[in-house]
Amino acid sequence: MHKLLNYVKELESKIPNQEDYNPEISKSNVGWHIEHILLTNKMILEAVEKSNPADYTWSFKLPRIVVFTMNKIPRGRAKAPKVVVPKTYDEQTLLEHLKIVTLKIQGLENMSSDKYFDHPYFGNLRLNKTIKFLEIHTNHHLEIINDILK
């Protein structure tokens, strides 16, 4: 979980560069990637909080095995669900969302390990796998942000 908090802290340092854009790297600017990460983390963590461990079922998902083994999401392979596609954002809203997500991540320490998130491609992920996914996903977008800023 410390890794995820460190990634979110790193995001904060990128907010001043939110307008930066490099179409050779991404169709979206730095701010879009930051907001996308924050929306994704917030929505997933809220889903975990609300989950009922009795409803958890495991299923084999090859994409989950590949991504979790590689610790990497291949670029340009997946499209963000509409619910986590940023619409509007600015420095103030990014900072507000950053604080909310930080608190939610810190709250994971007190959460039951039986809680889970139902990922659209990877299936149900127990808390530890959800955290791992958030780390992989956040790092994926941080790498894109860093490439935009080079």
Side-chain angles (χ1 to χ4, degrees):
M1 185 167 28
H2 295 309
K3 185 187 268 189
L4 187 55
L5 280 172
N6 288 339
Y7 286 156
V8 171
K9 191 171 188 168
E10 185 178 344
L11 281 178
E12 186 174 12
S13 72
K14 309 295 185 190
I15 291 175
N17 303 98
Q18 66 171 311
E19 300 291 329
D20 289 9
Y21 171 69
N22 182 341
E24 292 178 15
I25 303 297
S26 174
K27 295 176 187 174
S28 304
N29 66 17
V30 168
W32 184 96
H33 286 279
I34 294 170
E35 181 69 352
H36 169 69
I37 292 167
L38 296 173
L39 284 171
T40 300
N41 286 353
K42 180 178 179 286
M43 294 191 82
I44 289 175
L45 294 172
E46 287 173 351
V48 169
E49 289 169 7
K50 295 175 187 174
S51 70
N52 179 357
D55 296 337
Y56 175 87
T57 57
W58 184 88
S59 60
F60 176 82
K61 300 285 184 177
L62 184 60
R64 177 182 63 223
I65 293 168
V66 171
V67 167
F68 280 48
T69 301
M70 293 174 40
N71 281 319
K72 196 165 189 71
I73 298 171
R75 283 195 190 176
R77 302 287 281 188
K79 186 171 170 129
K82 288 181 185 179
V83 70
V84 291
V85 172
K87 292 168 184 59
T88 60
Y89 52 86
D90 57 29
E91 185 171 349
Q92 181 180 346
T93 60
L94 291 174
L95 288 169
E96 288 170 11
H97 294 163
L98 191 88
K99 287 178 188 170
I100 292 167
V101 167
T102 299
L103 289 172
K104 288 196 174 295
I105 293 169
Q106 291 168 341
L108 292 173
E109 290 180 17
N110 302 318
M111 200 172 292
S112 166
S113 62
D114 289 346
K115 294 284 199 167
Y116 72 97
F117 167 66
D118 184 10
H119 188 279
Y121 301 114
F122 302 151
N124 289 339
L125 304 173
R126 291 243 191 240
L127 182 61
N128 64 337
K129 293 292 186 186
T130 298
I131 293 168
K132 182 172 180 169
F133 168 72
L134 290 174
E135 291 171 351
I136 293 169
H137 179 262
T138 301
N139 186 57
H140 168 76
H141 285 281
L142 272 170
E143 287 178 355
I144 294 170
I145 289 168
N146 289 332
D147 286 350
I148 291 170
L149 296 176
K150 280 185 185 174

